[in-house]
Amino acid sequence: MDLSRRAVLTTAAGAAALYATPATTAHATPATTAHAASGPSAHAAAERTASAESARTPADTVRTLRSAADYAVGKLRTVAPGVTAFPTGTKAEKWVYSQNGDWVGGFWPGTLWMAWLHSGDDTFRTLALDSARGLAPRQYDTTTHDLGFLFSPSWVTAWRLTGDDTWRTGALHAADSLSRRYNPAGRFIRAWGALDDPNNAGRVIMDTMMNLDLLAFASEQTGDARYLDIAAAHAGTVRRTFPRPDGSTPHVYDFDPVTGAPVGPGTVQGYSPTSCWSRGQAWGIYGFTTIHRRTGSPEFLATARALADYALGALTPDHVPVWDYRAPQQPYDVKDASAGAIMACGLLDLAAAAGHPPYRDAALRILTALADTCLTRHSTRAQAVVARCTRNRPAEDGVEISLPYADYYLLEGILRVLRPGDVDRAIDLSTRAGS
């Protein structure tokens, strides 16, 4: 796996007629069984909260976000039928592909699912399922931590929206593969390298926080607490070692793989071990909020809030993150719109989990900024939806390009606002009872 490209990667069905599209009822049935599995009372509470939040979304914000989602669907309707592999990024505004999905393969079918939820066009449903099938061999891949990125937006979502147990079974296989990367001595999931590869054996990265929900899914579905225990242990290790007193984080933290003892911070995609790579900070906000929802841990919620407060304080007035909040040229440095899209999703989730509406207001500002300034509307060549993304600035790999996870999280964030009940059916926004 290419280490220069690590990173990457959630209710009310009747939120007011202003936000509904005619297609909503056409595909409201398939997720009923999956929804019930995670607890009707939790979902009912989430839907009431989301309904109240949606009702107070400014009308001009709704128009802007709906226009952006419509643009995305139009772009996908043109481009998607010709996509036969997994987009990894753009070159000269055209998608570059991976046959096996690299670490980003789940985002293309995930984006198609979001387009289906917004439009009701069953072409997107068919394409999402066809694309996800291409990831089947990866469910047994033990060489990477990226199984959550690969299988949560693709196979887990496919199961939740279709009820076909094939998708659930494959996602559980992937969770089992991910669990094998757990180091009990250090209580962490190693990021990179085969299980028998001594290189990077003690390397932990912030991105892995986003892969933990696949393990939570496995515990919920199998009744085996081991998976969630591993996820919580890893999150606890990251909580204790990554955040600095001001809430900023490094991309990497290294441990002795034999003893589990902490070694110190590092980076691959950030400016330095003492900087704050914006996409990693966004993974942390979203990931810690999710693991709080699955465990009820107040410590994880507090960490999510600390990371969010730092990132919001570091945002420039245009509300689009620079690639690293502590790079020497910030705030006048290249942007990473993908960090903004991920961060907005995490903030929307965090606002509900923490009962803190200002996080939602900040997410709306970010999503509006992305819709106004970062879409590919002015290019006839562009195959992606979101521009102004940066994959790996230190390696000069993919600076100011488009990235598949930017498109996915932009649509997820917009639909969290416009169609929260549908997003909940696809992703599961429930919170552990009593948390």
Side-chain angles (χ1 to χ4, degrees), residues 148-231:
F149 285 133
L150 289 168
F151 285 88
S152 289
S154 56
W155 286 51
V156 173
T157 294
W159 173 69
R160 289 180 61 81
L161 293 177
T162 69
D164 183 342
D165 203 53
T166 300
W167 304 109
R168 172 184 175 275
T169 300
L172 293 177
H173 287 155
D176 191 64
S177 297
L178 177 58
S179 72
R180 293 180 61 190
R181 299 185 64 76
Y182 180 64
N183 181 321
R187 297 174 63 83
F188 63 80
I189 296 169
R190 69 176 288 185
W192 300 319
L195 297 179
D196 58 355
D197 184 353
N199 295 318
N200 294 307
R203 177 144 284 196
V204 177
I205 65 174
M206 182 60 79
D207 318 37
T208 306
M209 289 300 304
M210 290 294 291
N211 291 313
L212 301 182
D213 205 40
L214 183 65
L215 298 173
F217 171 80
S219 278
E220 178 192 34
Q221 293 298 311
T222 66
D224 186 345
R226 176 177 63 95
Y227 298 103
L228 183 57
D229 288 346
I230 288 173

Side-chain angles (χ1 to χ4, degrees), residues 250-298:
H251 178 204
V252 169
Y253 208 97
D254 289 308
F255 297 82
D256 185 306
V258 177
T259 67
V263 175
T267 197
V268 172
Q269 287 173 257
Y271 177 78
S272 76
T274 60
S275 71
C276 185
W277 177 49
S278 62
R279 191 158 71 247
Q281 192 80 1
W283 294 137
I285 295 166
Y286 196 158
F288 272 107
T289 303
T290 302
I291 195 65
H292 159 73
R293 289 196 290 105
R294 303 305 182 218
T295 64
S297 165

Side-chain angles (χ1 to χ4, degrees), residues 41-382:
S41 60
H43 285 289
E47 289 179 357
R48 288 193 297 271
T49 299
S51 182
E53 289 175 342
S54 294
R56 68 180 186 84
T57 304
D60 58 343
T61 299
V62 171
R63 285 192 294 270
T64 297
L65 298 187
R66 181 173 296 284
S67 175
D70 290 345
Y71 172 74
V73 166
K75 177 68 71 175
L76 288 163
R77 192 171 276 125
T78 299
V79 173
V83 172
T84 58
F86 299 100
T88 60
T90 55
K91 183 175 182 180
E93 300 184 283
K94 303 296 185 182
W95 284 124
V96 175
Y97 297 102
S98 166
Q99 293 301 314
N100 77 348
D102 196 77
W103 71 271
V104 300
F107 295 119
W108 180 250
T111 300
L112 296 171
W113 279 123
M114 294 298 112
W116 180 64
L117 291 174
H118 182 64
S119 69
D121 183 344
D122 282 340
T123 300
F124 292 124
R125 181 184 188 276
T126 300
L127 290 171
L129 293 170
D130 288 346
S131 175
R133 290 186 186 99
L135 294 172
R138 301 295 300 277
Q139 64 192 283
Y140 304 107
D141 186 351
T142 61
T143 68
T144 177
H145 73 120
D146 289 314
L147 281 301
F149 285 133
L150 289 168
F151 285 88
S152 289
S154 56
W155 286 51
V156 173
T157 294
W159 173 69
R160 289 180 61 81
L161 293 177
T162 69
D164 183 342
D165 203 53
T166 300
W167 304 109
R168 172 184 175 275
T169 300
L172 293 177
H173 287 155
D176 191 64
S177 297
L178 177 58
S179 72
R180 293 180 61 190
R181 299 185 64 76
Y182 180 64
N183 181 321
R187 297 174 63 83
F188 63 80
I189 296 169
R190 69 176 288 185
W192 300 319
L195 297 179
D196 58 355
D197 184 353
N199 295 318
N200 294 307
R203 177 144 284 196
V204 177
I205 65 174
M206 182 60 79
D207 318 37
T208 306
M209 289 300 304
M210 290 294 291
N211 291 313
L212 301 182
D213 205 40
L214 183 65
L215 298 173
F217 171 80
S219 278
E220 178 192 34
Q221 293 298 311
T222 66
D224 186 345
R226 176 177 63 95
Y227 298 103
L228 183 57
D229 288 346
I230 288 173
H234 177 90
T237 298
V238 174
R239 181 185 68 81
R240 290 189 298 273
T241 54
F242 274 68
R244 306 180 183 108
D246 64 358
S248 65
T249 60
H251 178 204
V252 169
Y253 208 97
D254 289 308
F255 297 82
D256 185 306
V258 177
T259 67
V263 175
T267 197
V268 172
Q269 287 173 257
Y271 177 78
S272 76
T274 60
S275 71
C276 185
W277 177 49
S278 62
R279 191 158 71 247
Q281 192 80 1
W283 294 137
I285 295 166
Y286 196 158
F288 272 107
T289 303
T290 302
I291 195 65
H292 159 73
R293 289 196 290 105
R294 303 305 182 218
T295 64
S297 165
E299 289 83 5
F300 294 152
L301 181 63
T303 301
R305 295 193 66 164
L307 270 58
D309 292 345
Y310 176 84
L312 289 172
L315 272 183
T316 48
D318 64 357
H319 303 294
V320 180
V322 294
W323 73 278
D324 191 304
Y325 294 126
R326 288 184 168 178
Q329 293 181 328
Q330 67 79 31
Y332 308 108
D333 212 333
V334 295
K335 298 291 186 174
D336 183 9
S338 76
I342 298 158
M343 181 178 169
C345 291
L347 289 171
L348 290 168
D349 208 11
L350 182 57
H356 190 62
Y359 288 139
R360 187 174 190 276
D361 296 339
L364 294 178
R365 289 192 294 271
I366 294 169
L367 288 172
T368 300
L370 297 177
D372 284 341
T373 69
C374 296
L375 301 191
T376 58
R377 291 182 187 271
H378 301 299
S379 172
T380 58
R381 286 180 49 84

